[in-house]
Amino acid sequence: MLRRAIDLFNTKGYDATSIGDLAKELGLTKSAIYHHVASKEALLSAALDEALDGLTTAVRTATSAAPGTSALQRLRTATEESVQILLDHLPAVTLLLRVRGNSAVELEALTRRRLIGDELATLVRAAVDEGSLRADIPPEVISRLLFGTVNSLVEWYRPGGPVDPTLLARWVTGVVFDGLGRPDGPATVGGT
Amino acid sequence: MLRRAIDLFNTKGYDATSIGDLAKELGLTKSAIYHHVASKEALLSAALDEALDGLTTAVRTATSAAPGTSALQRLRTATEESVQILLDHLPAVTLLLRVRGNSAVELEALTRRRLIGDELATLVRAAVDEGSLRADIPPEVISRLLFGTVNSLVEWYRPGGPVDPTLLARWVTGVVFDGLGRPDGPATVGGT
């Protein structure tokens, strides 16, 4: 039921979806739905928790890496694990990325999302300080570009399509950190 | 008036915005608005043309570079010019990226957007064939990641903020093609 509710929220918009719509979609009565869930907001909350719990674990996995692991390596791990969560929980993460803070549940989700963003931004700064990320771009812009690239996957990735999620997580991480240029190709340093 | 209409469409949603809303926003009567524009759809059409004309010119500038210019250099130019257009025409491009094809005007905009995407995808394939882009990722995925990174700027960039648009266009291009790693930093090739 959560799965179908998330899909409906993503297609129709959360605000525009009623429990009646969900009942119709599932071929159930409204009272049958209320037998299982307290409210539409409880469904939203469960959906956002699914996304946030996954992303929190992804970042924790990276930040709690063995002592001696470089900030760059932690950040690469956090990126790859986050992409994997995004692809594995695509509908829930899509919903999370659309949340604008219109209710207590949404505001709480935005707070949790910001905390995850802060942890990643801290990793970015540590990697810049360590000298392993380019120093010609402000760390805040690096964070924005990194999150932007990762989050843009929800715009086109479709589960069950031709692109394997584990490979894609590796490719995205490779492109973000090493660039689109061939590692052994002609030098592409410099602007246009 | 077009500027205010675009802002209203972006804030409130195009479908939810009426000419009456626009009149109120501008402190005009509806008939005063209709004196200047034929319909709400004419405003949408003008807004989408602003974005599409800019992006088309950006890609044309790159594809019509002097003979002997490498595909990689054309693609870098197309990327940098597209980012510049996106930042300079942020409200119009934001509106374009939200178009879903709900009317003839929207469908025509999607067709023009797809043509631009096809030209860029052709450049990507040429750069892969030329050997200057990494060959371990399918060209279609490279195109998606490239567009995704560029388009994600509408999520956070704010005109008049601390980030200079011309610098940002150069940074985005640099990150996409050369990666976040320091050109002279420790090797970061390989996964987590």
Side-chain angles (χ1 to χ4, degrees), chain B residues 86-145:
Chain B
L86 180 146
L87 300 176
D88 290 346
H89 301 265
L90 190 74
V93 175
T94 302
L95 193 62
L96 174 66
L97 293 178
R98 290 183 186 166
V99 157
R100 289 292 168 261
N102 299 328
S103 65
V105 165
E106 294 198 5
L107 286 171
E108 200 199 313
L110 285 185
T111 301
R112 286 190 66 190
R113 189 180 158 194
R114 203 168 307 119
L115 286 174
I116 296 169
D118 288 348
E119 288 201 53
L120 286 170
T122 301
L123 273 182
V124 166
R125 272 188 303 271
V128 171
D129 290 346
E130 159 190 289
S132 48
L133 287 191
R134 47 199 298 164
D136 59 335
I137 304 179
E140 305 75 46
V141 174
I142 289 182
S143 293
R144 296 287 199 174
L145 292 177

Side-chain angles (χ1 to χ4, degrees), chain A residues 72-73 76-77 80 131-134 136-138 141-142 144-145 148-149 152-153 156 163 168 171-172 174-182 188-192, chain B residues 72-73 76-77 80 131-134 136-138 141-142 144-145 148-149 152-153 156 163 168 171-172 174-182 188-192:
Chain A
L72 175 63
Q73 194 50 55
R76 288 186 76 116
T77 302
E80 190 166 335
S132 48
L133 287 191
R134 49 199 297 165
D136 59 333
I137 304 179
V141 174
I142 289 182
R144 296 287 200 174
L145 292 177
T149 303
S152 73
L153 295 172
W156 65 269
V163 183
L168 183 55
W171 289 339
V172 172
V175 168
V176 166
F177 291 94
D178 308 323
L180 282 175
R182 285 176 64 134
T188 57
V189 174
T192 51
Chain B
L72 175 64
Q73 194 50 55
R76 288 186 76 117
T77 302
E80 191 166 334
S132 48
L133 287 191
R134 47 199 298 164
D136 59 335
I137 304 179
V141 174
I142 289 182
R144 296 287 199 174
L145 292 177
T149 303
S152 73
L153 295 171
W156 65 271
V163 183
L168 183 54
W171 290 340
V172 172
V175 168
V176 166
F177 290 95
D178 310 323
L180 284 174
R182 286 176 64 131
T188 58
V189 175
T192 51

